[in-house]
Amino acid sequence: TGLPFRLPTEAEWEHAARAGTTTRFYWGDDPHYEHIDDYAWWEGNAVDAGEGHPHIVGLKAPNAWGLFDMSGNVFEFCQDWRSVYPQEHEVDPVGPATGEQRELRGGSWFTSGDRCRSAERGYSYPGFTYSYVGFRLAMSVDDDGGEGEGEEESEKRNEAVHRNESCQRIAGGSIHGPHSNALWQQFYQG
């Protein structure tokens, strides 16, 4: 495509998942998992219901920014290599430059509700493929300051940049299914 697609960093992924919220999930704290079925595929409405597989993206309600399946359905690989969070506060931290395992975020159809929290972290080897693991792409945006844009385009660009801040542009749904392994291998190796 010629466009600069990549995996989101953990910070970008969480920023996009939370969509401005500070609660356990992007739909609220939901301590008794009374609303999780409206937003996520997890063991309670997938495995326990005899539907132990990933589902078509977009069947559950999106977060406030219109992103679907940020919780549940499939764990999503992030750009960051596995690491321990630093003790001091950091804004938009980036993981180590190299490693063996990448961070996973979001939980899956295979996990309990607490694993679907916006802050939950997991990890896996990049070559690992299974039906509860997928990925979501981010696209880096060239920040030319909007040179040559009209007023309407500039306003739309500024709104998008403000809304997405560090996450730039993240695809509206994760990639999984029969072709995701080949696509992942091509993306990972390319």
Side-chain angles (χ1 to χ4, degrees):
T1 68
L3 298 173
F5 287 108
R6 60 180 173 75
L7 294 174
T9 66
E10 273 196 281
E12 291 170 336
W13 188 97
E14 188 168 333
H15 181 78
R18 288 185 179 282
T21 65
T22 58
T23 52
R24 287 177 6 129
F25 305 99
Y26 51 83
W27 60 89
D29 282 322
D30 202 5
H32 304 291
Y33 308 107
E34 296 168 0
H35 305 286
I36 192 171
D37 287 356
D38 296 333
Y39 296 89
W41 294 106
W42 64 296
E43 76 174 347
N45 65 1
V47 176
D48 294 350
E51 295 188 31
H53 56 82
H55 293 77
I56 295 170
V57 173
L59 296 178
K60 299 294 183 181
N63 69 11
W65 290 351
L67 299 175
F68 292 93
D69 297 300
M70 292 299 291
S71 289
N73 208 13
V74 294
F75 279 107
E76 298 175 4
F77 274 107
C78 290
Q79 178 178 308
D80 299 63
W81 294 102
R82 181 180 178 205
S83 66
V84 176
Y85 276 150
Q87 294 295 334
E88 63 280 351
H89 176 76
E90 290 188 36
V91 176
D92 295 335
V94 177
T98 62
E100 291 187 16
Q101 297 175 317
R102 290 200 184 270
E103 297 290 352
L104 294 174
R105 300 300 292 266
S108 78
W109 59 265
F110 189 69
T111 60
S112 59
D114 63 318
R115 298 289 315 269
C116 295
R117 294 177 307 114
S118 298
E120 180 67 19
R121 303 173 80 206
Y123 52 88
S124 182
Y125 294 98
F128 176 78
T129 58
Y130 196 70
S131 66
Y132 56 82
V133 177
F135 61 101
R136 179 180 303 263
L137 295 177
M139 185 179 80
S140 297
V141 267
D142 182 20
D143 192 5
D144 64 359
E147 203 170 299
E149 291 179 342
E151 187 176 324
E152 185 177 329
E153 289 85 4
S154 178
E155 189 174 308
K156 286 180 182 177
R157 180 182 178 281
N158 288 338
E159 180 183 310
V161 168
H162 173 74
R163 182 178 65 238
N164 291 313
E165 292 176 336
S166 67
C167 72
Q168 301 186 7
R169 294 185 181 151
I170 295 188
S174 56
I175 299 170
H176 62 83
H179 303 291
S180 66
N181 186 31
L183 188 60
W184 168 250
Q185 292 303 326
Q186 179 182 10
F187 180 75
Y188 176 67
Q189 293 171 1

